[in-house]
Amino acid sequence: MKQVGVVGGGTMGAGIAEVCAKAGTAVTVLETKQEFADAARARIEKSIARGVKAGKLGQADADAALARVTVTLEMNDLADADLVIEAAPEIESLKAEIFGKLDQIVKADAILATNTSSIPVIKVANATQRPEKVVGVHFFNPVPVMPLVEVISTLSTSPETAAAVTEFASATLGKTAVQAGDRSGFIVNALLIPYLLSAVRMYESGYATKEDIDAGMKGGCGHPMGPLTLCDTVGLDVALAAAESMYAEFGEPHMCPPPLLRRMVDAGHLGRKTGKGFYDYN
């Protein structure tokens, strides 16, 4: 894994590119517009600068990491990558389209990975002619801080592919890698999303205030943050997309998104990233 490609330079993509670059790997980030490319570069630079300011990274190491990052608008620039990690929005058709194009561009032995949080990986693997070399690799936000990576093998993923990605995540990036089956939600979101939806329903019904719901789970269960604060941190649009994917897969009532969550996303109240969610951050 000497050369890594990252498709998408948003919050997750920029974070993935950063941890790869700091681990000594050359990274090429693909974006669709110059303004998005500039924003991706700025995200990486800002995050690395925070690490220097906090004393977690020396200036020389920071400069070396930034020198390993290239941002491009040309998918052909990913042709020589050993591993390409897709971090596009949680839209199945978009991911499948990206994988179909990557399959035609990257070298034959390259591994294609999706950072999806809930979409079954086989859905995007089938858009390629190399499903045995497609795997899920789910990072958590913020990527430079969160220690976990879920590695998701489909029924077609070869053991060698899963082993190579697991080795890269653990030995090179220093993450804790856990193995998950190819079911919507995998391990973490399969347990987390129903919990978050239950908190939204409790608040929506007027059973308790948002402050008391969050305080209850922090003080009563020892959680570092309450579920509604966590929704705001994850992004309400991300939580909704994960819930919709899981509900489509399993049809379980507790996985169905509450109307309030849908209306908040419709209103653009997505949490911290927009300044307003269950709480006001402006």
Side-chain angles (χ1 to χ4, degrees):
M1 306 295 182
K2 297 181 183 298
Q3 176 72 39
V4 172
V6 177
V7 179
T11 301
M12 293 303 296
I16 294 168
E18 178 187 338
V19 297
C20 290
K22 288 193 296 189
T25 304
V27 187
T28 301
V29 180
L30 175 67
E31 262 299 354
T32 56
K33 296 181 180 179
Q34 188 60 51
E35 61 188 287
F36 297 159
D38 293 342
R41 183 81 191 187
R43 284 188 192 95
I44 297 169
E45 291 175 348
K46 184 177 180 180
S47 180
I48 288 179
R50 281 198 300 266
V52 173
K53 186 176 181 180
K56 298 178 181 178
L57 191 67
Q59 188 60 56
D61 290 335
D63 294 340
L66 287 172
R68 297 185 191 103
V69 178
T70 301
V71 184
T72 183
L73 301 180
E74 300 294 332
M75 186 175 283
N76 286 333
D77 289 341
L78 304 181
D80 293 329
D82 303 302
L83 168 68
V84 178
I85 303 171
E86 167 270 317
E90 286 287 275
I91 302 171
E92 184 182 316
S93 59
L94 173 62
K95 291 179 182 289
E97 179 183 355
I98 290 170
F99 271 70
K101 291 179 179 178
L102 287 171
D103 188 44
Q104 302 299 314
I105 290 172
V106 300
K107 57 190 181 182
D109 61 345
I111 293 173
L112 302 179
T114 176
N115 183 56
T116 181
S117 60
S118 57
I119 296 172
V121 178
I122 194 64
K123 298 287 187 71
V124 295
N126 285 343
T128 76
Q129 299 300 312
R130 62 179 90 192
E132 74 284 352
K133 299 192 78 65
V134 176
V135 67
V137 54
H138 181 211
F139 291 82
F140 293 82
N141 186 36
V143 179
V145 175
M146 298 295 279
L148 189 72
V149 171
E150 290 179 313
V151 178
I152 303 100
S153 296
T154 74
L155 295 176
S156 301
T157 304
S158 72
E160 292 78 13
T161 295
V165 171
T166 300
E167 174 73 9
F168 177 70
S170 57
T172 302
L173 303 185
K175 301 291 188 182
T176 298
V178 296
Q179 307 297 316
D182 189 22
R183 302 194 314 172
S184 182
F186 316 128
I187 294 174
V188 174
N189 279 338
L191 297 172
L192 175 64
I193 294 299
Y195 159 66
L196 298 182
L197 299 181
S198 293
V200 175
R201 290 191 194 96
M202 182 176 284
Y203 174 58
E204 182 179 38
S205 71
Y207 183 83
T209 67
K210 58 191 176 186
E211 292 84 2
D212 284 349
I213 292 170
D214 280 355
M217 294 310 294
K218 289 173 65 180
C221 292
H223 291 193
M225 68 175 68
L228 299 179
T229 300
L230 183 54
C231 280
D232 281 353
T233 303
V234 169
L236 273 65
D237 54 335
V238 175
L240 176 60
E244 288 177 330
S245 177
M246 291 168 59
Y247 184 61
E249 172 107 324
F250 300 107
E252 298 285 350
H254 67 285
M255 295 178 177
C256 183
L260 176 60
L261 181 61
R262 295 185 185 277
R263 295 298 83 80
M264 292 179 73
V265 172
D266 291 341
H269 299 169
L270 308 183
R272 289 185 182 274
K273 60 187 173 185
T274 60
K276 187 173 184 180
F278 288 102
Y279 297 91
D280 194 330
Y281 301 93
N282 291 313

